[in-house]
Amino acid sequence: MAVNRAFNFNTARNLSSLISWIPTGKIQQTVASSVQLTGIGLHSGKLSTVTIFPELAGVGRYFKFRSNVIPASTDYVKESPLCTTLCKDGHSINTVEHLLSALEATGVDNCSMQMETSNTHDSSIEVPILEGSAREWVDAIEEAGLKTALDRSGNSCEKLAPVLREPVTVWKNDSFIAAFPYSEVKITYGIDFPQAPEIGCQWFSSTCLDKEFFAKELASARTFCIYEQVEQLRKSGVIKGGSAKNAIVCSESRGWLNPPLRFSDEPCRHKVLDLIGDLSLFAHGGNQGLPVAHIIVYKGGHALHANFARRLSGIN
């Protein structure tokens, strides 16, 4: 079996002067068998099913909804403050971040994700929130297993990683992402919720971001919300499927309403999980999405994560 190297350097070409693509010493992978999970959407409250299928090397990750193919790429990210949405030709896939985070972290470089719902008229569909984290995705992927992805000629493809060549900063108000050249992937993330003292100011930092670390330290960190904001959010048409079963809820005055937490800094860890999923959209042609850099985030969110990924791509 030959290893196709030239294919990768062409498909993962340098799209921005900020980035160089280098070999990781790994071979691109895909799922060994299909993976399927069903559940309700956090924001829509509607039932949907996702089936992950193996895909050829060099293809990357993409969603299929009805007859539409939507690549998991920064090119198709639509502005959305409470989740990450991909949109193409009038069809959208909402809340993709937890699933994509699990795929990036476990090394599923190439796959198709078939989205299905019983409502035949909807032009949008939401990835199930499950229990609010990426744990069920990781467990299902591990059960299915991985295999070497082969291209149409039967060759494997070398996996490349994007390496940051110079500092990059994006910000909005007092929120920012600053990334600096570094010898490995390092994420430092800070959040601050002074109105909810039980959350308060938290920081999480790690250079150990392999699949074992992700599975143990990040995958089970659940999404969270402030109790006093729930009614307003529901009136605005979101979190229709949210509950104490798929989120941890903190009251400004009473603290955590559905303890125990899985980690003392679970909210901050969940933000790191979200970031990995959002930056996976920088991946091209079955290569790594997370840039080799020290990425420092303070009070980030999906929109800021997407702006950073676009900046790396040279889009803005």
Side-chain angles (χ1 to χ4, degrees):
M1 182 191 302
V3 177
N4 191 336
R5 293 184 174 86
F7 175 85
N8 282 284
F9 281 104
N10 288 332
T11 55
R13 61 193 182 280
N14 188 355
L15 300 177
S16 165
S17 60
L18 297 172
I19 294 291
S20 295
W21 294 86
I22 66 167
T24 62
K26 300 176 182 179
I27 300 298
Q28 289 188 17
Q29 299 182 107
T30 187
V31 286
S33 60
S34 63
V35 173
Q36 185 178 90
L37 289 176
T38 298
I40 63 167
L42 173 62
H43 298 297
S44 67
K46 296 180 180 180
L47 196 69
S48 68
T49 297
V50 183
T51 308
I52 305 170
F53 292 102
E55 187 49 278
L56 297 172
V59 172
R61 298 181 284 254
Y62 62 90
F63 290 90
K64 292 182 70 176
F65 179 41
R66 307 198 195 287
S67 59
N68 300 276
V69 173
I70 306 177
S73 164
T74 53
D75 294 337
Y76 301 99
V77 175
K78 178 183 177 183
E79 187 74 18
S80 183
L82 295 178
C83 68
T84 298
T85 297
L86 300 175
C87 187
K88 183 185 177 189
D89 299 331
H91 290 81
S92 60
I93 314 293
N94 304 317
T95 319
V96 300
E97 57 270 17
H98 300 170
L99 169 55
L100 292 181
S101 189
L103 294 171
E104 176 78 10
T106 57
V108 182
D109 309 308
N110 304 277
C111 67
S112 66
M113 293 164 279
Q114 179 71 51
M115 304 291 300
E116 296 175 296
T117 178
S118 59
N119 192 326
T120 59
H121 302 293
D122 284 348
S123 60
S124 67
I125 190 170
E126 187 174 14
V127 175
I129 189 62
L130 304 176
E131 49 112 58
S133 73
R135 183 168 68 179
E136 290 181 65
W137 291 116
V138 169
D139 290 346
I141 292 166
E142 288 183 348
E143 183 177 351
L146 301 183
K147 66 179 181 180
T148 298
L150 304 178
D151 64 17
R152 294 187 184 279
S153 300
N155 298 322
S156 61
C157 290
E158 194 164 25
K159 183 176 179 178
L160 307 180
V163 177
L164 187 67
R165 299 172 59 187
E166 58 185 80
V168 179
T169 306
V170 295
W171 68 88
K172 183 176 182 180
N173 302 322
D174 62 342
S175 303
F176 70 84
I177 300 178
F180 303 92
Y182 202 69
S183 58
E184 56 191 327
V185 178
K186 180 177 183 179
I187 295 175
T188 299
Y189 209 115
I191 62 173
D192 190 17
F193 289 83
Q195 74 274 35
E198 285 294 310
I199 301 177
C201 183
Q202 299 180 5
W203 285 92
F204 181 89
S205 185
S206 181
T207 54
C208 183
L209 294 165
D210 58 23
K211 64 180 181 180
E212 289 79 15
F213 180 87
F214 183 88
K216 182 179 179 181
E217 304 293 342
L218 295 174
S220 61
R222 295 161 292 178
T223 192
F224 64 98
C225 67
I226 306 299
Y227 174 75
E228 285 76 9
Q229 298 175 359
V230 168
E231 185 177 354
Q232 180 183 353
L233 289 170
R234 284 189 170 149
K235 284 181 178 179
S236 69
V238 296
I239 66 167
K240 295 177 182 177
S243 73
K245 294 181 180 180
N246 54 36
I248 46 176
V249 184
C250 188
S251 167
E252 295 177 2
S253 59
R254 290 179 287 160
W256 293 106
L257 302 183
N258 56 337
L261 299 187
R262 293 173 177 171
F263 309 96
S264 62
D265 56 355
E266 187 170 355
C268 196
R269 291 182 188 232
H270 184 80
K271 285 288 193 175
V272 176
L273 186 160
D274 279 346
L275 177 69
I276 292 170
D278 291 340
L279 293 188
S280 77
L281 296 167
F282 185 59
H284 296 277
N287 295 296
Q288 182 173 309
L290 271 177
V292 178
H294 184 187
I295 305 165
I296 304 170
V297 188
Y298 180 64
K299 296 175 69 173
H302 296 297
L304 195 67
H305 298 168
N307 286 341
F308 176 69
R310 291 191 191 99
R311 178 73 185 279
L312 294 179
S313 300
I315 297 175
N316 61 1

